Amino acid sequence: RPFTLADLAGHPVLLTFFYSRCDTMCPLIVSDARAVETALPESVRGELRVVIVSIDPESDTTERLREVAHERGLPLDRWSLVRGSDADVRTLAATLGMSYRRTPDGFAHNAILTVLDAHGVVAAQSLGTGQPTDPLVTAITQIARPPS
């Protein structure tokens, strides 16, 4: 079904990019997103929405993304694995500072986790895999429970 970030308005969002044929960095990216979710207080975890955008919409069909979600045990009530046109994905990636290019073996890409606030504005980012979760957890918690 069509998906827009506006569908997630009112929730903190953790957004990242991957492609399912990747067996090196992409599994680590998904694991890092899981680590951020797991580190959240239980009351905040239910507010978080996680969006993983495929950079390979040719291969990452809706069926393939569904398989990945099942294989990784991702809770699809809060997690969305999405694909879009190459132009739309490139625009979103460039807006968030994510770069990628096709190679003979797949894609060369950086790893970036982005926290969007309840209005879709970038609140925090983490570049690279295996980074500390604290900055992202803090940002998500503040969005889910704004200071009074």
Side-chain angles (χ1 to χ4, degrees), residues 16-19 21 25-26 29 53-58 60 82-103 106-112 127:
T16 193
F17 299 85
F18 92 134
Y19 69 104
R21 294 181 298 124
M25 188 182 298
C26 293
I29 293 169
V53 180
S54 171
I55 60 173
D56 186 13
E58 267 180 44
D60 286 339
V82 300
R83 58 191 294 274
S85 71
D86 186 57
D88 287 346
V89 171
R90 286 197 178 277
T91 298
L92 178 62
T95 300
L96 298 176
M98 198 287 209
S99 60
Y100 64 97
R101 66 180 169 76
R102 190 175 288 278
T103 66
F107 290 86
H109 62 93
N110 60 355
I112 191 165
L127 184 59

Side-chain angles (χ1 to χ4, degrees), residues 10 12 44 47 118-119 138-148:
V44 173
E47 289 298 311
H119 305 289
T138 298
I140 293 165
T141 302
Q142 288 174 343
I143 294 163
R145 296 186 197 154
S148 40

Side-chain angles (χ1 to χ4, degrees), residues 46-106:
E47 289 298 311
L48 179 66
R49 300 299 179 260
V50 179
V51 177
I52 302 176
V53 180
S54 171
I55 60 173
D56 186 13
E58 267 180 44
S59 297
D60 286 339
T61 63
T62 303
E63 294 78 22
R64 177 64 189 134
L65 294 176
R66 201 174 295 123
E67 287 173 11
V68 170
H70 178 74
E71 290 167 4
R72 297 294 304 248
L74 304 178
L76 293 179
D77 59 325
R78 294 186 328 272
W79 285 59
S80 299
L81 279 69
V82 300
R83 58 191 294 274
S85 71
D86 186 57
D88 287 346
V89 171
R90 286 197 178 277
T91 298
L92 178 62
T95 300
L96 298 176
M98 198 287 209
S99 60
Y100 64 97
R101 66 180 169 76
R102 190 175 288 278
T103 66
D105 297 332

